[in-house]
Every structure is written in C-alpha cells, then in structure tokens.
Amino acid sequence: MQNWVGVVVAIALVLQVSILMALFFTTRRTMQKMEKTVTDLNARAGPILTRVQILLDDTQPKISTMVSDAAHIVYLARGQAQKMDRVVTDVADRFRGQLLHIDRILTGTMETVEDAGAQFKQNFWKPVQKASALVQGIKVGLDLLRARRGATASSASQERSPEQEEELFI
C-alpha cells in the first residue's frame, strides 16, 4: 500500500508542476501583451504629452500676466467705486442741504405772504367795510328821506303809477 501512496503522491506532484508550468507560461504571455500595449500607449501618448507640456510652458507666462492684469483691474475698479461712492454721497449731502435751504426760503415766503394777507385784510378790508357801512347808512338815510317825502306826496296824490314806483325802486 505504500507503493500506491507513493504513486499517487508522484502523480499529484507531476500534476501540480504541470499546472504551475501552464500558469507560468500564461502569465508570461499576458505580461508580454501588457508590455506591448504599454509601449504602444507610451508611444502614442508621449508626443501628446510633449505638446501639452510645450503649450503649458508657452501659455504659463501669458496666464500669469492675465491673472496679474485682472488683479490690477479689480484693484482699480475698487478704487473707482470708492471714489464714486464719495462723490455720490457728497452730491446727496449737498442736494439735501439745498432742499433744506429751499424749504426754509419757501416757508419764509409763505409766512410773509400770510402776514401780508392778514395785513391787507386788516388795513384794506376793514376801511372798505367801514366805507361800505357808511354808504349803506347814507342810502338808508336817503331812503328814509324819500319815504317821508313820498308820504307827504302820497297824501296829495293817493295813487302812484307802477312806473313811478319802479323808478323809486331803482
């Protein structure tokens, strides 16, 4: 029985060696294909990477200049915005001051016009009212005198014509 075990072990060992040999050759073939693929990829990508590197080397100073110019433009724009803010604030303050000045002038003018109206009313209308009252008094007095004359004349002639009464009315 020991012979059998030795034979089985020998067969297993030969089988393992043959499987390992097959794996070795398959791995070697795969490695050769991988090397060929990497070599082709490197041959194709190498010029592209070289061109990209040249392009980057060529454009890097231009990009740096553009970034520097953009930073300078932003700095100048900020300064101009601050100046504009100061100018607008100053203009708004001056405009507000002018509006207050105009308001004071108009308020003074309105008060003066109101005072002048009150003075006009007091100094002109009161004498006019007094004169009107005087004229009214004279008119009442004349009417009274006419009425007395008319009373003496009516006793002389009892009836007046409508034309005479109309003349007296006017």
Side-chain angles (χ1 to χ4, degrees):
M1 183 121 127
Q2 284 184 358
N3 285 341
W4 288 97
V5 173
V7 174
V8 172
V9 170
I11 292 174
L13 190 60
V14 170
L15 185 62
Q16 282 182 353
V17 167
S18 62
I19 290 174
L20 283 175
M21 292 287 281
L23 279 174
F24 173 74
F25 289 122
T26 306
T27 306
R28 189 170 152 192
R29 220 178 319 146
T30 305
M31 287 299 288
Q32 288 174 348
K33 286 182 181 178
M34 287 284 284
E35 281 183 32
K36 184 179 176 188
T37 304
V38 168
T39 305
D40 288 344
L41 182 62
N42 198 9
R44 289 182 183 177
I48 293 172
L49 291 175
T50 304
R51 288 181 193 160
V52 169
Q53 183 64 39
I54 292 170
L55 183 64
L56 284 176
D57 289 343
D58 195 32
T59 57
Q60 184 180 4
K62 293 176 184 175
I63 292 172
S64 297
T65 304
M66 288 172 50
V67 168
S68 174
D69 289 347
H72 186 66
I73 288 171
V74 168
Y75 173 76
L76 291 176
R78 186 179 323 129
Q80 291 299 321
Q82 289 171 348
K83 286 179 185 177
M84 184 63 125
D85 181 50
R86 278 185 253 130
V87 168
V88 167
T89 303
D90 186 44
V91 167
D93 289 343
R94 287 183 183 190
F95 184 67
R96 189 176 300 114
Q98 290 297 325
L99 284 178
L100 289 175
H101 182 68
I102 289 170
D103 182 50
R104 283 189 215 118
I105 289 172
L106 288 177
T107 302
T109 303
M110 294 300 290
E111 288 174 357
T112 304
V113 168
E114 188 177 315
D115 290 343
Q119 290 292 327
F120 178 76
K121 185 176 180 181
Q122 184 178 8
N123 294 334
F124 181 75
W125 284 114
K126 291 223 180 198
V128 168
Q129 287 175 348
K130 287 180 183 177
S132 176
L134 182 65
V135 170
Q136 188 71 20
I138 292 171
K139 184 178 174 186
V140 169
L142 288 175
D143 285 345
L144 182 64
L145 285 175
R146 281 188 192 162
R148 284 189 186 174
R149 260 194 231 164
T152 58
S154 81
S155 54
S157 72
Q158 287 287 332
E159 274 188 41
R160 287 191 184 160
S161 67
E163 293 172 357
Q164 288 175 344
E165 286 196 22
E166 190 175 313
E167 286 177 9
L168 287 176
F169 180 72
I170 293 174

